RNA sequence: GUGGCUGUAGCUCAAUGGCAGAGCACUUGACUGUGGAUCAAGGGGUUGCGGGUUCAACCCCCGUCAGCCACCCCA
């Protein structure tokens, strides 16, 4: 006990209260995903490194993936993202699957990064994708799902927002400024960095990239134009669909949203906390080369990913994350003394068989201690049976919340508890 | 990978280079069959680890480890 082996850097221990929060988050994600008709799936947690080399950015695989050789010498990767596995799964059954696919997943991922606020090395991520159709309406559906999730967790539009842009729109605009196609990635990168640098440094950086003053000014004008979306028929359809889906209050057009990832091809979006310095909560967009990158026929897809760490921080700061989860049971059977241990276990067992989650104190210690235990574990009812109760065939039922206690006949207990638990759930 | 801050009781934190403390929690009792409240007593520490300076180090210096935060990056 003297030398504790520390946990791996960037991992988290999930104590029961943490696990309760994680499950709560999972449940919200699940409800929203199912509401839109999405099916849950998952891929392996381990993949060959080649799967990522085919598609992901270099940084992700070379710098940030956990990679190790297996006993046969193959390089194995703890999955840093799900999309390549998804691409393979779709590709393998491309002829058999019924499109459009609506798939979602929530599972662990690993990235070898320096931990900081909102970032760990082991985290959970919600992935959700609509695969097959290539339409602005499909894009709107994914954004509406993100908005629906926020709504379900109590995050109102004044706290979080989703900004949307379209890379094709931006490409057209950039071209009309007389910037060659070859510099497109540079310009995207430039736009992405706009609010991370001070204006002068940004302009100097732009000129280093070979942009003329007029072009830099042109880009700045684009970024200031909140009506730019009206020049894109796709974006007009997108916002019309979003309106129909009832998600508009969370969403606005923002020409500065580009997303770092190279594989996005059209719509891109990200959700962020409105508070000062609010970081990105989720991000996604349309990517058209999903399956062809792993060797299948081209399929278009739109989707997003949300890590559990940042959203949990945001929810916790606003007091929206479920707190104070106690024992799984609401009922504790106390043990009056050594001679009544078996009787207590029998009582608890009978209640369980009747469908009431029940814990029994496992040793005959002072009643005071058992009551305190129930209280601290968040159990509401305590059953006591000593000589007095036994003589009359009754059991004392103490309600720790209401500070009341009554005596019931042994055979009535199960039914009464089912009623009380149902009543409690209804409240 | 770069930089900053912090490591003291189970927890949150004090302590001019001079006896290592408080609150909460825990144990026991006031109260031999009843939780949260009150009171009293008690148990608890290699001050992250290793070295150095000093008569004397939680305090100063060097190293190291860990945590947090920012940069980088963001699938």
């Amino acid at each position: 006990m003297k030398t504790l082996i520390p946990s791996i850097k960037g991992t988290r221990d999930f104590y029961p209260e943490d696990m309760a929060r994680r499950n709560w988050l999972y449940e919200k994600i699940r409800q929203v995903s199912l509401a839109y008709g999405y099916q849950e799936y998952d891929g392996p947690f381990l993949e060959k490194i080649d799967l990522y080399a085919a598609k992901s950015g270099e940084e992700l695989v070379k710098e940030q993936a956990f990679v190790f050789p297996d006993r046969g010498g193959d390089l194995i990767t703890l999955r840093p993202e799900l999309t390549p596995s998804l691409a393979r799964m779709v590709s393998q059954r491309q002829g058999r699957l019924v499109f459009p696919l609506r798939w979602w997943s929530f599972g662990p991922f690993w990235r070898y990064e320096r931990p900081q606020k909102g970032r760990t090395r082991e985290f959970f991520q919600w992935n959700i994708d609509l695969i097959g159709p290539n339409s602005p309406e499909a894009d709107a559906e994914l954004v509406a799902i993100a908005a629906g999730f926020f709504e379900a967790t109590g995050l109102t539009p004044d706290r979080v927002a989703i900004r949307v842009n379209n890379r094709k729109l931006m490409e057209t605009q950039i071209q009309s400024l007389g910037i060659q196609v070859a510099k497109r990635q540079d310009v995207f990168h430039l736009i992405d960095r706009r609010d991370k640098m001070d204006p002068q440094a940004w302009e100097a950086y732009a000129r280093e990239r070979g942009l003329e003053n007029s072009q830099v000014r042109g880009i700045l004008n684009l970024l200031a134009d909140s009506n730019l979306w009206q020049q894109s028929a796709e974006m007009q359809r997108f916002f019309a669909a979003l309106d129909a889906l009832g998600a508009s209050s969370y969403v606005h057009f923002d020409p500065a949203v580009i997303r770092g990832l190279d594989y996005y091809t059209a719509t891109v979006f990200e959700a962020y906390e409105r508070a000062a310095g609010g970081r990105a909560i989720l991000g996604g967009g349309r990517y058209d080369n999903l399956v062809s990158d792993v060797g299948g026929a081209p399929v278009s897809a739109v989707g997003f990913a949300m890590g559990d760490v940042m959203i949990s921080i945001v929810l916790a700061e606003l007091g929206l994350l479920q707190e104070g989860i106690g024992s799984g049971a609401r009922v504790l059977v106390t043990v009056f003394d050594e001679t009544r241990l078996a009787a207590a276990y029998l009582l608890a067992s009978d209640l369980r068989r009747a469908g009431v989650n029940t814990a029994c104190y496992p040793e005959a210690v002072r009643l005071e201690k058992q009551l305190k235990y129930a209280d601290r574990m968040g159990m509401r009812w305590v059953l006591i049976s000593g000589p007095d109760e036994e003589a009359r065939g009754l059991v004392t039922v103490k309600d720790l919340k209401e500070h009341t206690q009554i005596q019931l006949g042994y055979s009535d207990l199960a039914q009464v508890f089912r009623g009380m638990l149902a009543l409690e759930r209804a409240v």
Side-chain angles (χ1 to χ4, degrees):
Chain A
M1 203 51 204
K2 176 147 192 191
T3 51
L4 268 177
I5 308 243
S7 54
I8 303 277
K9 183 199 275 286
T11 62
R12 292 167 291 168
D13 293 327
F14 288 90
Y15 288 88
E17 62 269 27
D18 306 309
M19 198 63 205
R21 283 189 279 264
R22 187 173 112 194
N23 283 333
W24 177 87
L25 186 66
Y26 171 79
E27 199 47 43
K28 293 291 176 192
I29 286 167
R30 183 173 167 274
Q31 282 167 9
V32 174
S33 302
L34 293 181
Y36 280 81
Y38 284 64
Q39 298 171 287
E40 188 172 9
Y41 76 102
D42 207 346
F45 298 174
L46 299 176
E47 292 276 12
K48 288 193 182 184
I49 194 171
D50 313 58
L51 181 71
Y52 303 101
K55 181 195 136 290
S56 305
E58 295 221 328
E59 169 108 12
L60 180 56
V61 179
K62 290 187 178 151
E63 311 282 339
Q64 298 188 342
F66 279 87
V67 181
F68 57 91
D70 68 11
R71 288 172 191 273
D74 284 339
L75 283 179
I76 305 299
T77 303
L78 280 168
R79 64 180 187 182
E81 59 163 332
L82 188 58
T83 307
S85 305
L86 170 63
R88 182 193 57 227
M89 288 170 70
V90 172
S91 177
Q92 278 168 183
R93 296 196 176 179
Q94 202 159 2
R96 283 194 280 156
L97 294 167
V98 181
F99 290 86
L101 301 176
R102 286 186 162 93
W103 285 7
W104 72 279
S105 182
F106 182 79
F109 296 86
W110 295 265
R111 290 176 195 166
Y112 196 83
E113 297 183 283
R114 190 92 162 239
Q116 55 179 285
K117 188 171 188 179
R119 179 190 292 177
T120 56
R121 287 184 173 180
E122 179 180 67
F123 57 95
F124 286 79
Q125 198 174 65
W126 177 25
N127 284 266
I128 183 161
D129 292 273
L130 174 47
I131 299 156
N134 179 359
S135 72
E137 289 75 20
D139 298 348
E141 175 169 314
L142 268 294
V143 172
I145 290 168
F149 168 78
F150 292 142
E151 202 173 355
T153 55
L155 284 168
T156 50
D158 59 313
R159 312 248 75 137
V160 295
I162 303 168
R163 41 188 172 218
V164 181
N165 195 9
N166 187 305
R167 283 193 169 189
K168 280 195 277 191
L169 166 65
M170 297 309 284
E171 281 168 22
T172 308
Q173 297 296 321
I174 289 165
Q175 259 180 313
S176 70
L177 290 172
I179 298 169
Q180 306 95 300
V181 177
K183 285 189 186 158
R184 198 183 62 203
Q185 287 302 337
D186 273 349
V187 174
F188 277 172
H189 191 237
L190 200 58
I191 293 173
D192 203 34
R193 296 190 55 79
R194 176 76 181 92
D195 52 1
K196 290 175 187 167
M197 303 174 71
D198 73 72
Q200 276 150 14
W202 185 81
E203 282 188 38
Y205 185 71
R207 271 190 291 275
E208 273 172 39
R209 300 279 158 168
L211 295 178
E212 295 162 20
N213 280 341
S214 63
Q215 292 172 332
V216 174
R217 225 169 309 284
I219 293 170
L220 286 173
N221 284 338
L222 289 180
L223 296 182
D225 185 357
S226 59
N227 292 318
L228 195 64
W229 64 274
Q230 287 167 353
Q231 299 184 33
S232 160
E234 274 192 23
M235 290 240 77
Q236 288 178 20
R237 280 172 59 188
F238 171 86
F239 279 110
L242 203 64
D243 236 3
L245 290 164
S248 299
S249 58
Y250 281 94
V251 186
H252 63 269
F253 171 74
D254 185 342
V257 173
I258 285 295
R259 307 291 303 158
L261 214 56
D262 287 346
Y263 63 62
Y264 288 125
T265 49
T267 300
V268 285
F269 57 91
E270 63 188 25
Y272 63 101
E273 191 183 7
R274 279 182 179 278
R279 287 182 39 147
I281 295 169
L282 62 83
R286 174 161 295 282
Y287 45 103
D288 284 336
N289 304 318
L290 170 67
V291 176
S292 58
D293 282 345
V294 294
V299 178
S300 190
V302 57
F304 68 80
M306 181 188 79
D308 73 306
V309 183
M310 200 60 205
I311 186 68
S312 295
I313 289 172
V314 172
L315 288 167
E317 280 173 358
L318 296 174
L320 296 170
L321 204 55
Q322 181 164 336
E323 292 286 349
I325 302 301
S327 162
R330 307 292 291 124
V331 180
L332 178 74
V333 176
T334 58
V335 178
F336 191 81
D337 56 32
E338 293 279 349
T339 66
R340 292 177 172 84
L341 257 167
Y345 267 71
L346 180 64
L347 173 53
S349 179
D350 285 346
L351 282 173
R352 277 181 215 120
R353 269 181 234 286
V356 178
N357 290 356
T358 306
C360 188
Y361 208 89
E363 50 188 352
V365 296
R366 290 184 306 130
L367 199 53
E368 182 184 348
K369 190 168 178 179
Q370 299 184 49
L371 285 168
K372 192 164 189 173
Y373 173 78
D375 186 40
R376 299 201 54 180
M377 290 301 290
M379 298 167 163
R380 180 166 172 183
W381 291 281
V382 173
L383 300 192
I384 302 165
S385 182
D388 297 349
E389 286 86 353
E390 273 175 17
R392 289 186 288 162
L394 299 173
V395 175
T396 295
V397 179
K398 186 174 174 70
D399 185 330
L400 297 184
K401 189 180 171 194
E402 297 297 327
H403 313 274
T404 57
Q405 69 180 48
I406 55 174
Q407 294 196 322
L408 291 173
Y410 193 104
S411 54
D412 298 329
L413 281 173
Q415 202 184 340
V416 170
F417 267 116
R418 279 200 297 261
M420 290 196 289
L421 287 165
L423 199 65
E424 193 182 49
R425 269 195 296 275
V427 174

